[in-house]
Amino acid sequence: MALQGPEELGEQLEEPEDLDDQDASSISPAEEITLPSGLGGDDEPEEALLLPWDRFSAWLHCICVVGFDLELGQAVEVRGPTRICYLSFPDSNSGCLGDTQFCFRFRQGSNRKQSLSCFLENTDRDAPPCLKRELGHYYGYVYFRQVRDKSLKRGYFQKSLVLVSKLPYVTFFHSLLKIMAPEYFEKQEPCLEAACNDIDRWPTPHPGRILTLPIMGMVIKIRIPTCYDKPGTSQLVQCFHPVFFHIQMLWELVLLGEALVVMAPSPAESSDTVLALVSCISPLRYCSDFRPYFTIHDSEFKEYTTRTQAPPSVILGVTNPFFAKTLQHWPHIIRIGDMKQAGEMAKQMKVKKLKNLKTLDSKPGVYTACKPYLNKDEEIIKQLQKGVQQKRPSAAQNAILRRYFLELTQSFIIPLERYVASLMPLQKSICPWKSPPQLHPFIQQDFMKTLEKAGPQLTSRLKGDWIGLYRNFLKSPNFDGWFRTRRREMIHKLEALHLEALCEEDLQQRVQKHSEVETVDLVLKLKDKLSQAEKEHLPVRPGTLAKLQEHIEAVILSLPEDLQGILHKPSTP
């Protein structure tokens, strides 16, 4: 069953890092917390303009219940998005008895329109790169239950509760499902309707605020991290445990956007590992495609398994043994064993050649012909090994590994940040009466020359072919995504500086030298710049936009009354 706003019931459908440990999330009985008047106490004035189910849509696209039909197989009950059926059930013989949680990610249909996009721009603007909303994909967060039931023909009760959202808040939605799913399996559909009404009372996602979210008689308190926070932590150690000795090479493969497949025993281990890989280059955003859980029934199956062209830049998480054969031609394969048996120290696994990959029973390890650009960091390996031998708490192991990845990524990105900053024109070149100056172009050869004296060797102890790593990174989707973002930020900064320069000018004196037509033209251009500044949230000094508005008003008042009336009318979009 797909539950949404009533007007969208049954609509057909055609994303990470999760919320960090620093999100201050907590769950408590609702009766222990007195909510302020209003909707959770976190409202802004503009939220009063939201229509019914807008709040729900800010968090979720829909809620689906997927059951198993003896004749049809997996099927969404009643009505709803048919595409997610197979992604909501384990497709391997892993025997997932009991309750299992995992997530998947799939493409948005080309004909689907964005809703609330303007209102949710604040969420994207303030969120760190890894927590921004997905534009072209949905996430599906799954709570799957399989228990023996002799009263059913199949002998098992098999059902999944799925939350579909554009928000990559993995930890949060898994926590939410732990509240909703057991209640649903016990009380069925009425409690889901109540949950939807609860969610429609929530404040919209807003990074940096502590949000109070009532749900099914409980209250969740969360804080969504902002881009200004220190990078947080993610649970990575367990996922990387079987491949400790290759973490640096895996970081390189993810950084370069290489085609990579993770073969795991279960959807939970598949999705956890893929999400851990994607987040290991944080604070860089992984800009290629990734599928935490991928099945043979996916519409992109043929696209990803064809041998007529090179595999696309994507990280796939799979569990079906069939993929060991169909994806044998992929350049990089990670084979993950049962995480439950990962308590003992895994023996050092050598990187295996792809030709050694057997169809069904390959041992855990990394299969690739790739030679890393950087020399192996023996120090981090020894540190992690020692932690396992001494039974160091997983939180401590996690902190060590996260810090290692963060320092490695920062050492890599600092020279790029330094060079890109040099592409910014000097502030003295900004003239208020001319268009803002253009950014200087990114010239690869010039950047490479800076590495000799100001390269990663200033902050990293690692040796190796850093030049080769940068050269290949500059061809990758991750560089393209990062540079587009930085370029847009610098253009916005130039626009902001231009506005500030305008505000320092004596416009009254200037318009005295111009005709009425030229003055009207100036007013229209200034109003347009003001509108754009507000829309794009340009990083101007406090008071700049108000000051510009005052200048515009003063210039308008210097014109004849008939022109004043025309210019005071709001412009039509």
Side-chain angles (χ1 to χ4, degrees):
M1 182 176 186
L3 291 179
Q4 263 189 317
E7 71 281 6
E8 298 179 70
L9 186 63
E11 182 180 4
Q12 299 293 309
L13 284 174
E14 284 301 72
E15 240 353 280
E17 162 152 338
D18 49 15
L19 281 183
D20 298 323
D21 289 347
Q22 64 184 5
D23 65 1
S25 63
S26 62
I27 303 174
S28 57
E31 59 268 24
E32 293 183 7
I33 294 180
T34 303
L35 294 178
S37 59
L39 303 174
D42 298 291
D43 300 336
E44 286 191 346
E46 63 264 28
E47 291 202 14
L49 302 175
L50 291 175
L51 298 173
W53 299 107
D54 276 352
R55 295 173 185 271
F56 180 96
S57 298
W59 290 91
L60 293 173
H61 178 73
C62 65
I63 302 175
C64 303
V65 177
V66 183
F68 191 92
D69 186 283
L70 279 174
E71 295 181 357
L72 300 176
Q74 291 96 314
V76 176
E77 298 182 356
V78 188
R79 295 181 185 175
T82 57
R83 186 177 181 187
I84 70 172
C85 292
Y86 289 104
L87 289 168
S88 302
F89 269 45
D91 73 341
S92 62
N93 298 320
S94 55
C96 297
L97 278 175
D99 293 352
T100 302
Q101 287 190 257
F102 58 94
C103 81
F104 57 85
R105 183 173 175 268
F106 62 100
R107 286 180 187 167
Q108 172 183 306
S110 58
N111 61 343
R112 184 158 304 284
K113 295 180 179 179
Q114 293 290 329
S115 60
L116 296 175
S117 56
C118 294
F119 185 80
L120 293 177
E121 278 179 0
N122 286 344
T123 301
D124 277 351
R125 188 181 76 248
D126 298 331
C130 57
L131 292 182
K132 292 184 184 295
R133 279 178 308 136
E134 290 281 352
L135 296 179
H137 293 82
Y138 287 102
Y139 282 84
Y141 302 98
V142 182
Y143 193 107
F144 169 69
R145 173 168 290 184
Q146 177 173 264
V147 292
R148 287 187 173 88
D149 189 336
K150 294 181 180 179
S151 67
L152 300 175
K153 288 184 180 181
R154 188 175 176 84
Y156 289 92
F157 171 90
Q158 294 174 307
K159 193 167 284 191
S160 288
L161 182 64
V162 187
L163 306 180
V164 179
S165 175
K166 282 193 167 292
L167 298 172
Y169 299 171
V170 181
T171 298
F172 168 72
F173 283 116
H174 280 333
S175 299
L176 182 60
L177 276 169
K178 285 179 181 177
I179 297 174
M180 294 176 61
E183 282 283 308
Y184 166 73
F185 291 137
E186 181 182 345
K187 300 177 183 177
Q188 300 301 307
E189 292 166 17
C191 71
L192 280 191
E193 294 176 10
C196 287
N197 284 314
D198 282 342
I199 295 170
D200 196 46
R201 295 169 53 210
W202 290 1
T204 52
H206 200 298
R209 292 187 184 174
I210 294 178
L211 304 177
T212 302
L213 313 176
I215 185 73
M216 289 182 157
M218 307 289 284
V219 166
I220 303 177
K221 278 197 168 186
I222 68 164
R223 178 185 181 275
I224 303 169
T226 74
C227 54
Y228 312 107
D229 294 346
K230 290 182 180 179
T233 58
S234 295
Q235 298 302 317
L236 299 176
V237 168
Q238 189 182 22
C239 299
F240 284 117
H241 191 288
V243 288
F244 265 166
F245 299 94
H246 312 301
I247 55 173
Q248 188 178 303
M249 180 178 69
L250 295 178
W251 174 84
E252 289 185 17
L253 295 178
V254 176
L255 182 76
L256 299 179
E258 289 283 329
L260 184 64
V261 60
V262 174
M263 296 184 179
S266 71
E269 289 158 321
S270 165
S271 62
D272 285 351
T273 304
V274 170
L275 291 170
L277 286 167
V278 167
S279 70
C280 79
I281 62 170
S282 180
L284 274 178
R285 181 173 189 170
Y286 182 76
C287 295
S288 295
D289 196 3
F290 63 96
R291 304 302 173 90
Y293 176 52
F294 187 77
T295 76
I296 60 175
H297 304 285
D298 198 284
S299 59
E300 279 86 47
F301 176 76
K302 289 184 179 179
E303 176 185 335
Y304 290 157
T305 56
T306 179
R307 292 173 181 259
T308 59
Q309 57 189 36
S313 177
V314 62
I315 301 179
L316 292 185
V318 302
T319 62
N320 195 318
F322 181 68
F323 281 107
K325 182 178 181 180
T326 57
L327 297 180
Q328 204 167 13
H329 64 292
W330 276 44
H332 319 289
I333 297 174
I334 303 174
R335 194 80 191 225
I336 299 292
D338 190 346
M339 297 290 187
K340 296 173 185 176
Q341 301 172 2
E344 300 178 6
M345 183 58 204
K347 62 181 180 180
Q348 182 165 353
M349 295 177 295
K350 294 182 179 179
V351 176
K352 303 172 181 67
K353 294 291 180 64
L354 283 171
K355 64 181 180 181
N356 295 330
L357 180 64
K358 296 179 182 178
T359 304
L360 295 175
D361 58 350
S362 296
K363 295 179 181 179
V366 178
Y367 296 80
T368 179
C370 166
K371 182 181 178 182
Y373 288 93
L374 305 180
N375 301 337
K376 182 175 287 188
D377 191 337
E378 299 291 348
E379 187 174 321
I380 185 67
I381 301 299
K382 289 177 183 177
Q383 198 175 2
L384 293 171
Q385 275 183 302
K386 186 178 180 181
V388 173
Q389 291 163 357
Q390 296 179 348
K391 296 183 178 179
R392 183 185 292 147
S394 60
Q397 288 279 83
N398 178 60
I400 292 170
L401 188 55
R402 168 53 74 186
R403 184 169 63 247
Y404 171 75
F405 279 133
L406 180 61
E407 290 174 355
L408 191 56
T409 303
Q410 287 179 330
S411 291
F412 182 81
I413 206 69
I414 284 172
L416 278 162
E417 290 279 6
R418 186 182 293 116
Y419 174 74
V420 167
S422 73
L423 305 181
M424 189 80 166
L426 297 175
Q427 187 167 350
K428 64 181 181 181
S429 66
I430 296 175
C431 173
W433 306 114
K434 295 181 181 179
S435 297
Q438 298 290 307
L439 293 174
H440 302 305
F442 187 106
I443 300 174
Q444 180 175 331
Q445 202 171 7
D446 291 349
F447 165 67
M448 290 297 184
K449 289 177 183 177
T450 68
L451 296 176
E452 184 177 346
K453 293 183 179 179
Q457 70 273 11
L458 297 180
T459 53
S460 176
R461 64 176 178 268
L462 291 183
K463 306 295 183 182
D465 184 12
W466 284 101
I467 298 294
L469 186 61
Y470 279 109
R471 187 173 290 114
N472 279 278
F473 176 72
L474 296 180
K475 302 173 187 174
S476 75
N478 288 331
F479 168 72
D480 184 63
W482 172 82
F483 183 63
R484 283 174 183 268
T485 300
R486 292 292 290 114
R487 189 174 185 276
R488 183 169 59 250
E489 290 171 352
M490 290 194 294
I491 289 174
H492 283 177
K493 181 61 178 176
L494 282 172
E495 292 283 353
L497 291 172
H498 187 248
L499 270 182
E500 290 169 3
L502 268 173
C503 285
E504 299 304 316
E505 290 292 305
D506 187 343
L507 298 187
Q508 288 282 64
Q509 183 179 1
R510 186 172 182 86
V511 297
Q512 289 175 3
K513 303 174 184 178
H514 290 81
S515 65
E516 287 184 359
V517 173
E518 290 172 324
T519 302
V520 169
D521 184 58
L522 174 63
V523 169
L524 294 176
K525 286 180 178 178
L526 291 176
K527 290 181 74 173
D528 185 55
K529 288 186 73 69
L530 183 62
S531 175
Q532 284 295 110
E534 292 170 340
K535 182 180 178 181
E536 296 175 358
H537 302 281
L538 294 185
V540 293
R541 291 196 299 260
T544 298
L545 300 186
K547 191 173 182 181
L548 183 61
Q549 182 66 53
E550 291 174 3
H551 281 337
I552 293 172
E553 289 295 325
V555 173
I556 291 176
L557 290 175
S558 69
L559 293 167
E561 287 188 9
D562 57 335
L563 288 176
Q564 289 183 33
I566 295 172
L567 293 174
H568 274 129
K569 289 181 180 178
S571 57
T572 55

